């Protein structure tokens, strides 16, 4: 429904067109702004967020009340609900981003040609980024700040459930932009929950939108991928595997499997499938599964696994293609690393996979043979996170293979161009 | 029309599905093949091309005869026609690609985290690349070889006008693959000119196509961009500008403008618009335009330019948005580098722009203020070429900002993933 107080008589399409043009204009300005000015804005945004805690919590209270009336689940209400500590955490997130190095203008590569031409590949902003997300209010601050740091203008389109929270957070971001003398159109929020606005974004706003980042559930991402006429940083599910090789240290394997699955079950880097080398089924399988079961994990296993570990349910074929995001794991035996690679290539969402092994040849085969964004050796899949990678913050984990792959941080929100310096060269 | 001898009763869609599955399977094998084997294949392909010169010229003769019967233009016939020297040049191109370093497996970045995790970003193949092109037969060899070098399988879909030539060239490439023990499905050619095959490719062949590279005219690229459900390396037109600043050396400016426009007028890096700083209109404009006119270039200019240089036609507004690809140039005066930037940002296709200047501040403003793939200082726009950049060969010049930008060579045909090595780390 169109918000009459903001849009008046204007159609959604006209409004979105204007938002796109203002974003492009802001992006042009941001492209040449010094790092110090962007960082000043980020710090002012952080201060404004803290100052606006009462207003943000009041807006959030209205969103939460509406969600409760509509019978939303407890998990949904939890994701939606803010408190002072959560707003302060958002604010700290902005300070962290301010402290990161500015990627814009850095030289990625430089070389000289025999004719004397000096060629540099230099990072540039992407331009205008559209972020389409669901009910998590913190995305408003995180995505706005990351895009700004990389010199981009951003158009935020949040879910209707968190609309009032998002607007209150957005007001604080704009206040910070203004303090630092940056255009307030650098971070815009779509002031309507009409789905036609998303359709306009997917069409690219007449060339004024350079990339779309969908952050949300499978159906949102699928719609965006299917309909977008502009590039998309796809964030699909994380159907992540842990493979325990015959050469694995058992105690390390237990720690890594339990952490990969159970530390937090609801994140995309949580393991969903355990593969154990058939050669060590007799020694490694049961202790690992017992540890998982003790932590409250439900085991869904193949018949040969169940023959060794009775306290498990039978896995249906679909289990090996399911991202549970819950305390459930599917388990199978495989024939060494080659068997693990074959299983993973068939079932993985190409997000994150881990091998526990001591054998260097098995590790090399795993690293070279699997086409996933993140491959780990002797470490938990839950490290699949921009912060854990040292990127400071991330807008998500991309599972596509183009441009950004894995954690999408500030650097991944840039493009590059070539700058060639000569002294009069012409081409023969 | 479906080629019955190859496809029998199979529908185009079934045939394309099978091509996609075979390509994916070949891509999996290619991903772990050593550089030496890929290079051996490239050299064997080069030898096979030379050995097949009679067969290729016979097939090409049939294509050319058909084009002549249908009344194709002389320029079209020239692009289509092969001779022994042109085939040898293709073959030399393959040897050049064989001599390039293998990008796959190289470490792009590496760092260590405080918890001891060692993170590497490593180049990987993209997977399966679709190349949709028009009548230039050499694209078959160039694109096939570049994709192979980067460890990708490729599906080639050439124009119907060059179908027989493309098949003869393709046969030589497959012979080379076989000699080196690589799967012949690494380089497939679509054996039908039915347009439905292109539609299937644009839909992504059920996930078996990772990126599409359109190489051809504006309408082909526009159709691909509009309909593709997979990422596209857009190669749009090159509406390239040369700006002559007040600080430019006049004789250098003449050389660069004339070379940028007239060396070859039909390539995407040819200049289409000349902008001259109003401050030096009296001294610089006429000598530059006289040199262009002497080379046979038609001048289309604004009224204030025509007042200084009578031998020019009046430029209509559309002239400043036209890629002539011919001996025609549009000319305007601007107010210094700021005026040049404003004009270029309004009219450029974001391909390549050059500044001729001595003033470092003007150069810096130009480099930082224009969002084009290639920016040159005191050098001809005709250097916008992968070979001239030292990339060995290119599949085209990308004008998009995602993943690949500027010349698309072997390195741009790769993706990357993260490889994380620990010794038992779990996430707190």
């Amino acid at each position: 429904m169109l918000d009459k107080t903001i849009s008046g008589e204007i159609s959604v399409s006209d409004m979105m067109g204007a938002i796109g043009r203002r974003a492009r204009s802001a992006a042009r300005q941001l492209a040449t702004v010094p790092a110090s000015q962007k960082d000043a804005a980020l710090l002012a945004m952080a201060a404004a967020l803290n100052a606006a805690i009462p207003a943000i919590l009041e807006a959030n209270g209205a969103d939460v009340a509406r969600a409760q009336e509509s019978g939303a689940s407890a998990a949904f209400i939890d994701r939606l609900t803010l408190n002072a500590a959560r707003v302060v955490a958002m604010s700290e997130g902005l300070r962290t981003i301010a402290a990161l190095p500015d990627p814009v203008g850095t030289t990625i590569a430089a070389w000289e040609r025999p004719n004397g031409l000096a060629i540099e590949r230099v990072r540039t902003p992407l331009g205008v980024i559209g972020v389409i997300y669901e009910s998590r209010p913190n995305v408003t601050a995180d995505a706005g700040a990351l895009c700004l740091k990389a010199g981009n203008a951003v158009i935020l389109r949040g879910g209707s459930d968190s609309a009032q929270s998002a607007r209150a957070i957005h007001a604080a971001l704009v206040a910070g932009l203004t303090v630092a003398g940056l255009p307030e159109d650098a971070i815009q929020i779509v002031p309507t929950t009409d789905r036609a606005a998303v359709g306009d974004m997917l069409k690219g706003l007449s060339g004024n939108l350079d990339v779309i980042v969908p952050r949300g559930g499978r159906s949102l991402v699928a719609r965006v991928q299917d309909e977008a006429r502009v590039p998309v940083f796809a964030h699909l599910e994380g159907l992540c595997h842990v493979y325990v090789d015959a050469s694995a240290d058992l105690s390390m394997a237990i720690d890594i499997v339990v952490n990969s699955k159970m530390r937090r079950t609801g994140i995309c880097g949580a393991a969903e499938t355990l593969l154990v080398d058939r050669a060590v089924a007799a020694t490694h399988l049961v202790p690992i599964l017992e540890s998982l079961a003790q932590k409250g994990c439900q085991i869904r296993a193949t018949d040969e696994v169940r023959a060794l570990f009775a306290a498990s349910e039978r896995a249906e074929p679909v289990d090996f293609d399911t991202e549970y995001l819950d305390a459930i794991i599917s388990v199978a035996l495989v024939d060494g690393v080659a068997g693990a690679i074959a299983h993973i290539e068939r079932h993985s969402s190409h997000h994150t996979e881990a091998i526990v092994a001591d054998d260097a040849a098995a590790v090399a085969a795993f690293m070279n043979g699997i086409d996933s964004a993140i491959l780990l050796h002797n470490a938990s899949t839950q490290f699949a996170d921009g912060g854990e990678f040292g990127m400071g913050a991330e807008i998500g984990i991309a599972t596509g293979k183009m441009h950004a792959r894995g954690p999408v941080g500030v650097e991944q929100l840039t493009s590059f161009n070539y700058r060639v310096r000569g002294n009069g060269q012409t081409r023969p």
Side-chain angles (χ1 to χ4, degrees), chain A residues 147-400:
Chain A
C147 291
L148 177 71
K149 180 79 185 194
N152 302 294
V154 61
I155 299 170
L156 301 165
R157 205 289 188 180
S160 54
D161 301 296
S162 59
Q164 292 198 48
S165 314
R167 286 190 204 179
I169 293 166
H170 177 251
L173 304 185
V174 169
L177 290 170
T178 307
V179 166
L182 290 182
E184 60 180 69
D185 291 334
I187 303 177
Q188 295 181 82
I189 192 162
V190 175
T192 169
T193 55
D194 191 320
R195 284 172 66 93
V198 173
D200 286 333
M201 288 175 75
L202 297 180
K203 286 189 209 109
L205 304 179
S206 308
N208 285 324
L209 193 56
D210 294 297
V211 59
I212 290 178
V213 182
R215 262 202 69 166
R218 197 171 181 161
S219 66
L220 169 71
V221 178
R223 181 191 170 196
V224 168
Q225 283 202 297
D226 200 49
E227 296 182 19
R229 293 290 165 281
V230 286
V232 173
F233 284 162
H235 295 64
L236 285 172
E237 69 261 49
L239 212 161
C240 307
H241 297 74
V242 179
Y243 164 63
V244 177
D245 188 65
S247 66
D249 175 82
L250 175 57
S251 124
M252 185 191 290
I254 291 171
D255 289 348
I256 287 174
V257 171
V258 169
N259 188 264
S260 295
K261 176 70 252 182
M262 297 301 292
R263 174 185 161 271
R264 281 182 67 190
T265 58
I267 66 174
C268 59
E272 305 293 3
T273 298
L274 167 66
L275 303 172
V276 175
D277 193 338
R278 192 168 274 115
V280 290
T283 53
H284 286 41
L285 183 68
V286 172
I288 295 171
L289 297 185
E290 275 175 352
S291 300
L292 281 168
Q294 275 166 20
K295 292 274 184 179
C297 186
Q298 187 192 111
I299 316 286
R300 297 193 187 170
T302 57
D303 285 338
E304 57 178 346
V305 170
R306 297 180 76 213
L308 293 165
F309 187 74
S312 52
E313 299 183 28
R314 172 173 290 123
E316 303 299 326
V318 71
D319 278 301
F320 293 100
D321 295 312
T322 300
E323 185 188 23
Y324 301 115
L325 295 174
D326 203 347
I328 310 171
I329 195 164
S330 54
V331 184
L333 298 179
V334 294
D335 286 324
V337 69
I341 292 169
H343 180 104
I344 291 169
E345 280 295 300
R346 196 161 57 244
H347 297 282
S348 168
S349 65
H350 306 293
H351 186 295
T352 295
E353 334 289 347
I355 178 173
V356 189
D358 266 359
D359 175 21
V363 176
F366 191 88
M367 293 280 174
N368 293 319
I370 295 177
D371 188 26
S372 294
I374 301 172
L375 299 170
L376 300 120
H377 170 221
N378 288 352
S380 168
T381 60
Q382 301 241 351
F383 286 112
D385 174 272
E388 294 297 322
F389 271 51
M391 295 177 179
E394 64 172 36
I395 210 164
I397 307 270
T399 51

Side-chain angles (χ1 to χ4, degrees), chain A residues 1-22:
Chain A
M1 205 184 69
L2 195 60
D3 185 328
K4 293 262 168 66
T5 60
I6 289 173
S7 62
E9 302 279 310
I10 303 168
S11 74
V12 170
S13 176
D14 286 349
M15 180 186 73
M16 293 306 295
I19 286 175
R21 287 190 296 277
R22 290 201 301 267

